[in-house]
Amino acid sequence: MNKKKRRLFGKKYLPEYLKELNTLTNIEVTPQELISIEKSDLINTIKHDVSKNIMLNFNDKEKLLILIGRLINIKNGPSYLYTTYAKDCGLLKLNSINDFNINFNFTDEHAGFIKFILQDLSNEISLDFYEEDGEQLLEIEISGNEWCQIEIDH
């Protein structure tokens, strides 16, 4: 889809996107804080050779908090937050993953997908949440050399 159409969709989805971002983060998000879709496309196309996956029950936020804490201890800094609306509206830059609301609800992101990309593009973490056989699951993918060195407890 060309960028002009994406900008039109972005204007249409912007109010809902901002609502999602304000629920998913611990900060007040305004449209001015969003990065252009051109720059967002460049950031979101980076691929890493190394990745790890872990599956959790969606409501096991304590394990998610421990995992994110370990990642931050290895390498932290400004990051970009991607949700499905970011494709048409642009990424949100966070000062740190600490700005993320770890207690988000299953329905807080309409498509069930959230990704954090470190500003230096070296590492990322994706949260893919969905329901299967009546159980709410959270599939986590960690990508990048530094973050993939951690031990993941199931």
Side-chain angles (χ1 to χ4, degrees):
M1 185 182 324
N2 69 36
K3 288 182 174 88
K4 186 175 181 179
K5 285 184 182 178
R6 287 174 58 199
R7 282 189 191 98
L8 290 173
F9 281 120
K11 287 179 184 178
K12 176 182 175 184
Y13 298 131
L14 185 60
E16 192 63 29
Y17 182 42
L18 292 173
K19 181 179 173 188
E20 278 187 0
L21 290 175
N22 282 304
T23 302
L24 294 172
T25 64
N26 299 318
I27 59 174
E28 186 66 30
V29 180
T30 64
Q32 294 74 28
E33 295 169 278
L34 301 178
I35 296 169
S36 73
I37 60 172
E38 291 85 1
K39 186 172 180 184
S40 294
D41 286 348
L42 292 173
I43 292 166
N44 198 36
T45 57
I46 302 296
K47 301 293 179 211
H48 299 94
D49 294 334
V50 182
S51 67
K52 283 186 174 183
N53 293 323
I54 184 171
M55 184 70 76
L56 297 176
N57 180 294
F58 179 82
N59 294 312
D60 198 348
K61 297 297 177 69
E62 185 175 335
K63 283 186 182 176
L64 178 61
L65 183 61
I66 290 168
L67 176 63
I68 289 177
R70 288 181 183 168
L71 297 176
I72 289 172
N73 284 335
I74 292 172
K75 187 164 188 172
N76 192 11
S79 62
Y80 300 103
L81 173 62
Y82 174 91
T83 69
T84 51
Y85 282 139
K87 179 181 176 189
D88 297 317
C89 300
L91 294 168
L92 172 65
K93 184 176 176 185
L94 299 173
N95 291 326
S96 163
I97 294 176
N98 289 329
D99 290 337
F100 177 61
N101 174 11
I102 197 80
N103 293 311
F104 71 101
N105 294 312
F106 191 78
T107 57
D108 285 347
E109 201 288 331
H110 74 284
F113 186 78
I114 300 169
K115 179 166 57 172
F116 300 92
I117 306 164
L118 284 183
Q119 183 179 6
D120 68 5
L121 309 180
S122 64
N123 295 274
E124 65 183 56
I125 181 172
S126 300
L127 308 176
D128 187 3
F129 42 103
Y130 54 92
E131 195 167 334
E132 188 174 285
D133 297 327
E135 186 177 3
Q136 293 178 337
L137 301 172
L138 175 61
E139 184 176 349
I140 303 167
E141 181 178 15
I142 303 166
S143 302
N145 289 330
E146 291 99 347
W147 280 359
C148 284
Q149 292 177 20
I150 70 163
E151 292 297 319
I152 300 175
D153 301 329
H154 288 86

